[in-house]
Amino acid sequence: MEDMKKIKEEMLEKKLWAVVGVTGNKDKYGYKIWKKLIQHNYETYGVNPNYDEIEGEKIYHFLKELPKKVDVIDMVVPPKIGTHTLDEAKEAGVEYIWFQPGTFNDEIVNKAKNMGFKILYDDCILATLVKLEKK
């Protein structure tokens, strides 16, 4: 668990993020997380093949389309979709993967570890950033 704490601190220091599973639906976590990262001055790209843009921001269909190499991918998609994203992330040279609650199972966690990613799960970036606001 100590590793997870260290990895989380490292992730929070990284400033280039992609939210895989971003959505235009303001009630969904894919939207709330994306907006919260932007509010906290993270350079954040949305990835979702179902959108071309959200609120005037370009949304990318695939990680390989991003204009910059991101440091952290925040997963807001089911494990079935996330598994394919891991392959894309490896190709893109991404180091960190943050699995939001509900986006992981043993299979995807093991795959991510075996691929050499630094991963975090059982934690929420939205809750973490909201907590930081209250300090």
Side-chain angles (χ1 to χ4, degrees):
M1 216 50 201
E2 182 53 42
D3 271 0
M4 290 275 233
K5 189 173 183 287
K6 184 176 173 294
I7 287 172
K8 181 176 181 176
E9 286 169 7
E10 288 174 15
M11 285 183 181
L12 290 171
E13 288 172 12
K14 303 291 181 190
K15 287 299 180 189
L16 279 163
W17 286 59
V19 176
V20 173
V22 69
T23 174
N25 182 335
K26 292 182 173 150
D27 297 327
K28 301 254 186 195
Y29 285 110
Y31 177 84
K32 292 176 183 178
I33 289 165
W34 177 64
K35 289 302 269 189
K36 188 59 73 179
L37 282 163
I38 292 168
Q39 282 171 9
H40 281 259
N41 298 316
Y42 288 93
E43 190 172 331
T44 309
Y45 297 98
V47 179
N48 185 328
N50 301 317
Y51 290 88
D52 292 323
E53 62 98 26
I54 297 172
E55 295 178 2
E57 293 291 325
K58 181 170 174 42
I59 300 302
Y60 298 87
H61 294 183
F62 302 100
L63 288 173
K64 65 179 174 237
E65 296 175 350
L66 297 179
K68 292 184 179 174
K69 177 182 169 292
V70 295
D71 300 307
V72 183
I73 291 176
D74 189 75
M75 292 277 204
V76 198
V77 292
K80 182 173 74 183
I81 295 167
T83 302
H84 301 295
T85 304
L86 290 180
D87 297 327
E88 266 193 79
K90 196 68 184 172
E91 267 179 54
V94 175
E95 191 177 1
Y96 297 91
I97 310 275
W98 186 314
F99 291 100
Q100 289 297 129
T103 67
F104 62 90
N105 56 24
D106 290 346
E107 185 185 335
I108 195 168
V109 165
N110 289 332
K111 178 175 178 172
K113 284 179 180 172
N114 291 336
M115 291 176 82
F117 290 110
K118 292 182 181 175
I119 63 168
L120 187 63
Y121 54 94
D122 275 343
D123 204 334
C124 174
I125 185 65
L126 184 63
T128 297
L129 294 176
V130 167
K131 237 182 259 171
L132 288 174
E133 290 170 8
K134 293 179 177 163
K135 282 188 173 176

